[in-house]
Amino acid sequence: MHHTIFFDNASSTRTDARVFEKMKPFFMQKYGNPSSLHDMGQEAKDAIEEARDRGAALLGVAAQEIYFTSCGTESNNFALWGLAKSLQDKGKHIISSSIEHISILNPLKELKKQGWDYTLLPVDSFGMVNPEDLAKEIRKDTVLISIMHANNEVGTIQNLKTLAKIASEKDITFHSDGIAAAGIIPMDLKDLGVDAYSISSQQMYGPKGAGAVYVQKGHRLKPYLLGGTQERGRRAGTENVPAIVGFGEAAKLAAEEMHIHAAHITGLRDAFIKGIMDQIKNVKLNGHPQKRLPGNVHISFEYIEGESILLLLNMEGIAAASGSSCASQALKNSQVLLSMGLTPTTAQGSILFSLGKFNTMQEVDRVLEVLPAIIDKLRKMSPLYKEE
Amino acid sequence: MHHTIFFDNASSTRTDARVFEKMKPFFMQKYGNPSSLHDMGQEAKDAIEEARDRGAALLGVAAQEIYFTSCGTESNNFALWGLAKSLQDKGKHIISSSIEHISILNPLKELKKQGWDYTLLPVDSFGMVNPEDLAKEIRKDTVLISIMHANNEVGTIQNLKTLAKIASEKDITFHSDGIAAAGIIPMDLKDLGVDAYSISSQQMYGPKGAGAVYVQKGHRLKPYLLGGTQERGRRAGTENVPAIVGFGEAAKLAAEEMHIHAAHITGLRDAFIKGIMDQIKNVKLNGHPQKRLPGNVHISFEYIEGESILLLLNMEGIAAASGSSCASQALKNSQVLLSMGLTPTTAQGSILFSLGKFNTMQEVDRVLEVLPAIIDKLRKMSPLYKEE
Amino acid sequence: MVEYSKQVIDHFMSPRNVGEIKDADGIGEVGNPTCGDMMTFYIKVKDHKLEDIKFKTFGCGAAIAVSSMVSELAMGKTLDEALSITNKDVAQKLGGLPKNKMHCSNLGADALHKAIQDYKQKNEK
Amino acid sequence: MVEYSKQVIDHFMSPRNVGEIKDADGIGEVGNPTCGDMMTFYIKVKDHKLEDIKFKTFGCGAAIAVSSMVSELAMGKTLDEALSITNKDVAQKLGGLPKNKMHCSNLGADALHKAIQDYKQKNEK
Ligand SMILES: Cc1ncc(COP(=O)(O)O)c(C=O)c1O
Ligand SMILES: Cc1ncc(COP(=O)(O)O)c(C=O)c1O
């Protein structure tokens, strides 16, 4: 395991050792329930509040605007449902995009069953939403817009500020799924002008088991998990203290070190892309040439299918992904790629290499060493490929 | 912190060192996403499936009947909503009890807003639901019954088998909140005859951040968190692998060692209750004299108020609770105690000491040393108390 | 421990002036045990001044600390001075109280004022 | 790695009989790249026996392993024997396939049968 080259940071990141150190005491020493009145409860509560401060600092918002959840999916479900339910007397139309994560798209379908209506905006071949499209689709009863910040598959970063401005001019609440972006690229949510934002710990070298929703003060937010008064009544359930503490530390480290890592990762990414382009024919880089996540290398290899590429990479100790990991076992073609206009056949042969702060140029070189032969082997097996 | 006498195991338990050891590699070495196709993903998936086997073994059910969640509250929300939604074409009446945890009661209120109806069964002065009451309240449109296994405040254990039988005879789905019971008292869910059951890791020396729902094969269960296809499409969101692994280990340890711990804890409990009764006048043990959780010591101290007792205990390094910890900061009077017929004044002066496997007789002795003086001090301050 | 200030903890742990005055000149009671807090104040008055104050309180840490602080603040003051003490003053002197305690537990000044009114009523005849 | 058996991994890593037969006696094609799997089988027939089999496959690990296994199973067999090989047999020989692969990827026998039918059609005239 330890020699795996992990180019799948979009699915999961290694917990930073400093984050883990910070979490450790909360399992066997500081194990109080944050709702308990006694010192051990208060100690846990203080730790959560410190984590909240750090999460808020990363996003440039106030601590009391942050609500912790158990994962990115819960953040998205909660934000959509909690905002939609709070706004339902004003209207029941939601606008989102066709490249959203399934933890946005599926709740939208459920809301539709419950009487809401929604519109999904198209994207261009780079995966960008056109602000004019957004303006056009706004209706009298549009109360909520949810457009992701960075796409987890192709890495495209939206012009969030422009989109949020259109919403705010019409007094429509604007949410963004920032799970692939937070902790990776710098941001100031107040400057971006979004009303609500979802983030997740495990995408930024924090542990699994913690997510958060930012909701700007003044917005109503109906709780999704119901029960006790945790998170000021917005999210019931005993807090996952160690994970939240780890999330806080990850946010602090991200705020401090993000620019260094981004430079490092961008360097790897660009070298890797150039290496692939130089050595392998009939490949296509998906996503936006400039507005992309630092670690995103999303490539379509013509004539062959993604899973078989992944398998051969895996045999070489290289971990990568095809499409979104939550769907990768389902083998469905990526809606994101189809929305960007790829043919189904090309979409089938797409691989996401997602680089992270722990990756090195040696690893990039090693992958570039084995990748051409893998692609060649599979192409030679493919009925679609005619040797030149 | 380290010298705290932790008599608040109903709020949170210390993670067993063996559990923590098992979890450790999943932060920095085995950090793959279980949905990923590569070896690191598969390794994480295998770990989750092993945990599922262990949770299933603890409950005496099949692994594919277990769905992991993020906490007890989510388990209860999910089970109630998922079952109610699946059964709604048959009817929309639910029966529950007046001593349920708030993570059952609040979702019931929400379901009511969405068109369901529910009936809460009363309890007797020991906190027991009368099976005849259940039989009486069943209507033509009753589709779901949810009655907790053991009460988290007063420790009363219901005659679950009798209650579940009444449900099954009428072909009504029976759920039980087993969060205070699982891993603490032996159980075989197939023998008990329940269709669905909620459990939580942090109540059984596992980490915070993992819960589970058992739903018997053949029952439909609509997902509550929507998105990817994790947990066979029943619970979206990247799995909290370390916490689930810890949960599995905690389940394994509980299955193996529960009887030893139960004997130890029951011994402490009975000595503690006797000590209190012998030394302090005008106290009342709440809950059932026999059918109670091994570690539960729930006492009403007449003439005084609970929080001030907790504060003075805390000053002596003793952690205890008043009522349910999720409500303890809200200062509301416990509905459980009022349902059992306590006067509001007596309910105010109630303390839950919950003992666990890490507690010792020395600790019991130490608390018995300081408790009488604490009660005396507060009573001397109380306008309700007339010295005899 | 909860979010109590040092002053609250101090007054809770070592409350000043706990007790009853058998031949009190005025008695004031607020709250009731059902809602969790109840305070009874006893006063002795001499030359329009509070010569002695005692209290008994059923309630949470804040209620006890508030009672103690009020008794300390008012001791030796004229009745008018004592009447001008507000619940808010008391909370401030205690370094603040948790938000959920401001409502029910912070009734010490009310109880003292009631005791003074009781005294006045008895002596206005 | 996914839930593939040792046999699947073996056939995927070292597929038998990959390639084309330029002057094939029969060609069979199933699937299409849009749904993720496509297989083309080429056969040479002599004395009613499969003298040679080659395949080309676009698809996942299972699809490639299935193709390879079918070619191995059928090699040298009579046409009738080859026609009696089912997709289920192939999955079994491979030590089982993950459930979600049984449907789309397990089409090797179909492709081979198509090639045989193609041969028969051409030779029935
Ligand atoms: C009986 C019972 N049900 C539900 C819960 C809620 O669990 P959690 O706080 O872990 O979400 C608890 C919590 O202690 C409980 O004791
Ligand atoms: C953009 C985006 N949104 C939502 C999610 C869902 O997060 P999780 O799987 O942690 O629940 C992910 C997961 O990777 C993501 O990348």
Side-chain angles (χ1 to χ4, degrees):
Chain A
M1 277 312 83
H2 299 247
H3 300 103
T4 302
I5 295 181
F6 194 75
F7 277 13
D8 192 16
N9 289 277
S11 293
S12 178
T13 56
R14 189 210 300 177
T15 301
D16 191 295
R18 294 165 293 177
V19 167
F20 182 63
E21 277 310 307
K22 185 96 182 177
M23 296 172 66
K24 251 163 75 175
F26 291 88
F27 292 99
M28 295 190 289
Q29 288 100 47
K30 309 182 180 185
Y31 54 88
N33 185 318
S35 297
S36 296
L37 290 168
H38 48 68
D39 285 347
M40 282 182 67
Q42 195 57 32
E43 170 182 60
K45 188 168 199 305
D46 290 346
I48 285 183
E49 295 315 317
E50 184 183 274
R52 200 185 309 280
D53 288 342
R54 291 172 170 191
L58 175 68
L59 303 179
V61 304
Q64 67 266 34
E65 296 174 317
I66 298 284
Y67 304 95
F68 288 116
T69 67
S70 69
C71 61
T73 293
E74 188 191 332
S75 294
N76 279 340
N77 279 232
F78 174 25
L80 273 189
W81 195 88
L83 292 169
K85 274 269 171 177
S86 302
L87 293 162
Q88 63 183 341
D89 292 341
K90 277 180 67 186
K92 289 194 164 191
H93 181 240
I94 303 172
I95 298 175
S96 188
S97 88
S98 52
I99 59 161
E100 296 298 315
H101 190 265
I102 194 161
S103 58
I104 292 287
L105 295 175
N106 278 353
L108 284 176
K109 285 184 198 159
E110 175 63 27
L111 282 168
K112 185 156 191 170
K113 284 188 208 157
Q114 296 180 21
W116 271 263
D117 189 15
Y118 66 86
T119 305
L120 297 184
L121 302 177
V123 293
D124 66 17
S125 62
F126 299 131
M128 293 293 277
V129 170
N130 185 338
E132 283 172 26
D133 288 339
L134 172 59
K136 254 190 332 225
E137 294 295 346
I138 290 176
R139 311 191 320 207
K140 279 240 167 63
D141 61 341
T142 305
V143 291
L144 181 60
I145 295 168
S146 180
I147 292 171
M148 76 195 314
H149 194 171
N151 183 270
N152 50 304
E153 284 183 54
V154 297
T156 301
I157 301 169
Q158 301 298 330
N159 289 322
L160 212 55
K161 196 170 173 171
T162 311
L163 297 167
K165 189 149 177 269
I166 294 170
S168 108
E169 277 165 3
K170 302 261 182 175
D171 205 22
I172 298 168
T173 301
F174 190 95
H175 167 262
S176 182
D177 172 357
I179 290 163
I184 305 298
I185 56 173
M187 66 187 61
D188 176 339
L189 294 188
K190 299 290 178 192
D191 178 59
L192 287 174
V194 301
D195 302 298
Y197 198 81
S198 301
I199 72 175
S200 156
S201 165
Q202 72 132 351
Q203 304 283 347
M204 46 191 264
Y205 313 102
K208 298 180 177 66
V213 175
Y214 153 77
V215 176
Q216 196 182 25
K217 228 183 135 174
H219 289 273
R220 280 166 56 217
L221 180 69
K222 211 174 137 84
Y224 191 63
L225 282 191
L226 307 175
T229 55
Q230 292 93 346
E231 297 295 301
R232 279 163 296 135
R234 290 312 195 300
R235 200 275 186 185
T238 298
E239 300 88 337
N240 187 350
V241 182
I244 290 172
V245 165
F247 191 6
E249 189 67 12
K252 175 172 165 267
L253 294 176
E256 288 167 5
E257 302 172 0
M258 184 192 303
H259 58 290
I260 306 169
H261 299 311
H264 164 65
I265 299 168
T266 305
L268 299 182
R269 177 193 75 185
D270 293 345
F272 190 40
I273 293 173
K274 183 168 184 311
I276 293 173
M277 297 293 171
D278 285 354
Q279 295 186 53
I280 308 177
K281 285 192 191 143
N282 298 309
V283 297
K284 179 180 179 313
L285 176 70
N286 298 307
H288 199 282
Q290 285 86 43
K291 292 179 180 165
R292 73 186 300 129
L293 288 173
N296 182 283
V297 180
H298 194 286
I299 304 275
S300 295
F301 298 93
E302 295 284 356
Y303 315 124
I304 54 180
E305 190 267 354
E307 194 216 79
S308 55
I309 306 173
L310 288 186
L311 277 167
L312 290 177
L313 284 168
N314 185 63
M315 295 297 168
E316 299 284 347
I318 298 160
S322 64
S324 154
S325 69
C326 66
S328 61
Q329 305 248 14
L331 299 174
K332 297 245 189 67
N333 228 327
S334 158
Q335 279 308 316
V336 173
L337 299 182
L338 300 182
S339 300
M340 289 164 61
L342 269 71
T343 67
T345 307
T346 303
Q348 290 280 359
S350 301
I351 298 292
L352 168 56
F353 301 92
S354 47
L355 313 186
K357 70 177 183 179
F358 295 118
N359 291 126
T360 63
M361 196 58 88
Q362 283 77 4
E363 292 178 326
V364 168
D365 290 342
R366 166 82 190 133
V367 177
L368 284 173
E369 232 173 83
V370 301
L371 186 60
I374 288 175
I375 302 304
D376 192 52
K377 177 178 178 176
L378 291 171
R379 284 185 175 166
K380 287 214 168 107
M381 266 191 246
S382 169
L384 305 177
Y385 182 64
K386 304 290 163 229
E387 231 152 322
E388 284 145 42
Chain B
M1 277 309 85
H2 299 247
H3 299 103
T4 302
I5 296 181
F6 193 75
F7 277 13
D8 192 15
N9 290 276
S11 293
S12 179
T13 57
R14 189 211 300 177
T15 301
D16 192 296
R18 294 166 292 178
V19 167
F20 182 63
E21 277 310 307
K22 184 93 184 177
M23 295 171 66
K24 252 164 71 177
F26 291 88
F27 291 98
M28 295 188 291
Q29 287 101 48
K30 308 182 181 187
Y31 55 88
N33 185 319
S35 298
S36 296
L37 290 169
H38 49 67
D39 285 347
M40 282 184 66
Q42 196 57 34
E43 169 182 62
K45 187 168 201 305
D46 290 345
I48 285 183
E49 295 314 317
E50 183 183 275
R52 199 185 310 279
D53 289 341
R54 291 173 169 191
L58 176 69
L59 303 178
V61 303
Q64 67 267 35
E65 296 174 318
I66 299 283
Y67 304 95
F68 289 116
T69 67
S70 69
C71 62
T73 293
E74 189 192 332
S75 293
N76 279 340
N77 280 232
F78 173 24
L80 272 190
W81 195 87
L83 292 168
K85 274 270 172 175
S86 301
L87 293 162
Q88 64 183 339
D89 292 340
K90 277 180 67 185
K92 288 195 165 188
H93 180 240
I94 304 172
I95 298 175
S96 188
S97 88
S98 52
I99 60 162
E100 295 298 315
H101 189 265
I102 194 161
S103 58
I104 292 286
L105 295 174
N106 279 353
L108 284 176
K109 285 184 197 158
E110 175 63 28
L111 281 169
K112 186 158 190 165
K113 282 188 209 154
Q114 296 180 20
W116 273 263
D117 189 14
Y118 67 87
T119 304
L120 297 184
L121 302 177
V123 293
D124 66 17
S125 61
F126 298 130
M128 293 292 278
V129 170
N130 186 338
E132 284 171 28
D133 288 340
L134 172 59
K136 256 192 329 226
E137 295 293 349
I138 291 176
R139 309 190 323 206
K140 280 241 168 62
D141 61 340
T142 306
V143 291
L144 180 61
I145 296 168
S146 180
I147 293 171
M148 76 196 312
H149 193 173
N151 183 270
N152 52 303
E153 283 182 54
V154 296
T156 301
I157 300 170
Q158 301 298 329
N159 290 322
L160 211 56
K161 195 170 173 171
T162 311
L163 297 168
K165 191 149 174 272
I166 294 170
S168 107
E169 278 165 4
K170 302 259 181 178
D171 206 22
I172 298 167
T173 302
F174 190 95
H175 167 262
S176 182
D177 172 357
I179 289 162
I184 305 298
I185 56 174
M187 67 186 60
D188 174 340
L189 294 189
K190 297 291 178 189
D191 178 59
L192 286 174
V194 302
D195 301 299
Y197 198 82
S198 301
I199 73 176
S200 156
S201 165
Q202 72 132 350
Q203 303 283 345
M204 46 191 264
Y205 314 104
K208 297 178 178 66
V213 175
Y214 153 77
V215 175
Q216 197 182 25
K217 229 184 134 175
H219 289 273
R220 280 167 55 218
L221 180 70
K222 212 175 137 83
Y224 191 63
L225 282 192
L226 306 176
T229 56
Q230 292 93 346
E231 298 294 302
R232 280 163 297 134
R234 292 312 195 299
R235 200 278 187 185
T238 297
E239 300 89 339
N240 186 348
V241 182
I244 290 172
V245 165
F247 191 5
E249 189 67 10
K252 175 172 164 269
L253 295 176
E256 288 166 4
E257 302 172 359
M258 184 193 302
H259 58 291
I260 307 170
H261 298 311
H264 165 67
I265 299 168
T266 305
L268 299 183
R269 177 193 77 185
D270 293 344
F272 189 39
I273 292 173
K274 185 169 183 313
I276 293 173
M277 295 296 170
D278 285 354
Q279 294 186 54
I280 308 177
K281 286 192 191 141
N282 298 310
V283 295
K284 179 178 179 314
L285 176 68
N286 298 308
H288 198 281
Q290 285 86 42
K291 292 179 180 166
R292 74 186 299 129
L293 288 173
N296 182 284
V297 180
H298 193 287
I299 305 274
S300 294
F301 299 93
E302 295 285 356
Y303 315 126
I304 55 181
E305 190 266 354
E307 194 216 81
S308 55
I309 306 173
L310 287 185
L311 277 168
L312 289 177
L313 284 168
N314 184 65
M315 294 297 168
E316 299 285 347
I318 299 161
S322 63
S324 153
S325 69
C326 65
S328 62
Q329 304 246 17
L331 300 175
K332 297 244 188 69
N333 229 325
S334 158
Q335 279 308 316
V336 174
L337 300 180
L338 300 182
S339 300
M340 289 163 59
L342 269 72
T343 67
T345 307
T346 303
Q348 291 279 0
S350 301
I351 298 292
L352 168 56
F353 301 94
S354 47
L355 313 186
K357 69 177 185 180
F358 295 119
N359 291 125
T360 63
M361 195 59 89
Q362 282 77 5
E363 291 178 327
V364 168
D365 290 343
R366 167 82 189 132
V367 177
L368 284 173
E369 230 173 84
V370 302
L371 186 60
I374 287 174
I375 302 304
D376 193 52
K377 177 176 177 176
L378 290 171
R379 283 185 175 166
K380 287 213 167 107
M381 266 191 244
S382 170
L384 305 177
Y385 182 63
K386 302 293 165 228
E387 230 151 328
E388 283 145 40
Chain C
M1 175 86 223
V2 210
E3 296 151 72
Y4 285 145
S5 67
K6 268 204 322 278
Q7 297 95 310
V8 170
I9 295 291
D10 173 38
H11 274 268
F12 167 70
M13 291 299 291
S14 323
R16 288 51 148 174
N17 309 307
V18 172
E20 285 178 40
I21 300 175
K22 286 273 132 70
D23 55 343
D25 297 328
I27 300 180
E29 189 174 296
V30 296
N32 67 66
T34 302
C35 44
D37 291 300
M38 176 181 171
M39 301 170 183
T40 313
F41 270 75
Y42 305 85
I43 54 171
K44 279 303 262 186
V45 180
K46 198 174 170 185
D47 301 337
H48 286 273
K49 282 194 177 153
L50 290 167
E51 192 190 39
D52 198 10
I53 309 175
K54 292 245 183 275
F55 75 88
K56 284 215 162 178
T57 291
F58 168 101
C60 65
I64 291 172
V66 159
S67 309
S68 167
M69 178 56 91
V70 169
S71 73
E72 196 174 78
L73 283 177
M75 190 72 80
K77 295 259 158 67
T78 66
L79 297 186
D80 284 351
E81 283 166 344
L83 283 171
S84 72
I85 298 171
T86 66
N87 291 330
K88 222 172 124 192
D89 296 339
V90 177
Q92 242 161 26
K93 281 279 173 190
L94 284 168
L97 286 174
K99 219 189 266 169
N100 59 353
K101 302 283 184 177
M102 288 300 280
H103 226 56
C104 316
S105 314
N106 192 15
L107 300 169
D110 296 352
L112 176 70
H113 297 171
K114 268 201 170 173
I116 294 173
Q117 262 126 38
D118 180 47
Y119 161 81
K120 284 189 168 171
Q121 243 168 21
K122 283 179 188 155
N123 290 277
E124 264 163 15
K125 295 164 274 185
Chain D
M1 177 86 222
V2 210
E3 297 151 69
Y4 285 145
S5 66
K6 269 204 320 279
Q7 296 94 310
V8 170
I9 296 291
D10 172 38
H11 275 268
F12 168 69
M13 291 299 291
S14 323
R16 288 53 148 172
N17 309 307
V18 172
E20 283 178 42
I21 301 176
K22 288 270 132 75
D23 54 343
D25 298 326
I27 299 180
E29 190 174 295
V30 297
N32 68 66
T34 303
C35 43
D37 291 300
M38 176 178 170
M39 301 170 184
T40 313
F41 269 75
Y42 304 85
I43 54 171
K44 278 303 259 189
V45 182
K46 197 175 172 183
D47 301 336
H48 285 273
K49 284 194 176 152
L50 292 166
E51 193 191 40
D52 198 11
I53 309 175
K54 292 246 184 273
F55 75 87
K56 284 216 165 180
T57 291
F58 168 99
C60 64
I64 290 171
V66 159
S67 310
S68 167
M69 178 57 89
V70 169
S71 73
E72 196 174 77
L73 283 177
M75 190 71 80
K77 293 257 157 72
T78 65
L79 296 186
D80 284 352
E81 283 166 344
L83 283 171
S84 72
I85 297 171
T86 67
N87 291 330
K88 222 171 125 193
D89 297 337
V90 177
Q92 243 161 26
K93 281 279 174 191
L94 283 168
L97 287 172
K99 218 188 269 169
N100 60 354
K101 301 284 183 173
M102 288 301 279
H103 227 58
C104 315
S105 314
N106 192 15
L107 299 170
D110 296 353
L112 176 69
H113 297 171
K114 269 201 170 176
I116 295 173
Q117 263 126 36
D118 181 44
Y119 161 80
K120 284 190 171 173
Q121 244 168 19
K122 284 180 189 153
N123 291 279
E124 264 161 18
K125 295 165 270 179

